[in-house]
Amino acid sequence: MDRTQPNSSPRSRVKKRSYFPLFLFLVVLLCSGAAYYYFSHAAPLTEPETTSSPEESGQATILAVQPDSASDQSPISVTDSINDAASGQQQSPGNSDALITSTASSGNSVTSAAQHQQFSFEPADNVTSSPQVYDPASPFIDKIDGFYTHLDQQEYMKQFGLSKPSKVHFSELLQKLMDNPPTVSRETDDLFTLLKNTAHFFRVLGKDNIFILKGILDREKPYVESVLMAFYSLIDYPQRLKEEYQLSMPFTSIYDYAGFFLNTMGGRLYLFRRDSTSRMAVSYYAILTIDKANNEGNSSHGIDLVPAIDFLIEEMETGGKKLTMREGYLDALYDLKEKYN
């Protein structure tokens, strides 16, 4: 018996159409539109400004804290804040215009601007650099001081038993000579004047100092020329002589000694008892001194320089090979010879 009912229909195997994908597409579309609308009308995001670290820049870091009410306060000047801190002005926390911190290149130390004024960005108005004044006498003073220092370091000087440094002791001796010049004119009028000139240095300086000077001249011959040149050059700077050596060297006394060495029997005898280098160097500067007096109209002794110039030229050309400045001496002497002839 057929149990199937003719009125019932069998289940279809064909899949029915689904509207789910269309619904999902509409939802995604609406969400995308809403997101686009939101981001297009929202405030743009700004990235924070990046500043180089103190380690990278190697400069001071300055942090300015503005007050809450910008309308009630004037703009903050970094330079004014540094100047206030450097001048010692202190402000209360409530009225502080700026907080200034200075960091070194390591980034660890924090100090105030008053402690580190080198971080000021503008030079101070009251800071002025004074130019160094050139002292033309300085090279000669350095040469003489160097010689005195050299003497103090020598072993043979200890046996003389000086109670003062060489600079002080010999400056005092030189002042005695300036205060007691020799007789230049009419030396041979009487025997007493001649004997006084012959023993002039012994009378003025004393036996012990004469012994010391002889010992120095015998051992320090290489320094004689340079020391004489330095002292002769300092004649033009009397104030510096007074300041450095407490020396008063009037030109009249120097002129008397120049005439003494060139034009008196006592002076010539003294020079011929010395070595040839010292004798020629002293004679050369004596000639220059008298020439200077002639140029200035102060040649009171009326010394004729021509015989002295001729004699010294001949002596230097024949026996002056040990002189370190021989060529310069001869050039100057030949010029003087032409001048006076």
Side-chain angles (χ1 to χ4, degrees), residues 102-157:
S102 301
T103 59
S105 59
S106 61
N108 296 327
S109 60
V110 179
T111 56
S112 65
Q115 293 173 329
H116 283 279
Q117 298 185 23
Q118 64 268 25
F119 289 131
S120 299
F121 292 93
E122 296 180 2
D125 296 334
N126 58 348
V127 177
T128 57
S129 58
S130 58
Q132 296 182 352
V133 179
Y134 173 71
D135 182 10
S138 180
F140 312 120
I141 293 173
D142 292 342
K143 188 179 294 292
I144 296 172
D145 289 348
F147 176 68
Y148 284 142
T149 302
H150 167 76
L151 288 182
D152 291 334
Q153 296 173 350
Q154 302 306 304
E155 289 294 330
Y156 73 86
M157 290 294 294

Side-chain angles (χ1 to χ4, degrees), residues 259-272:
F260 172 73
F261 287 125
L262 293 181
N263 205 44
T264 66
M265 186 177 297
R268 298 300 297 170
L269 288 174
Y270 175 80
L271 286 182
F272 277 102

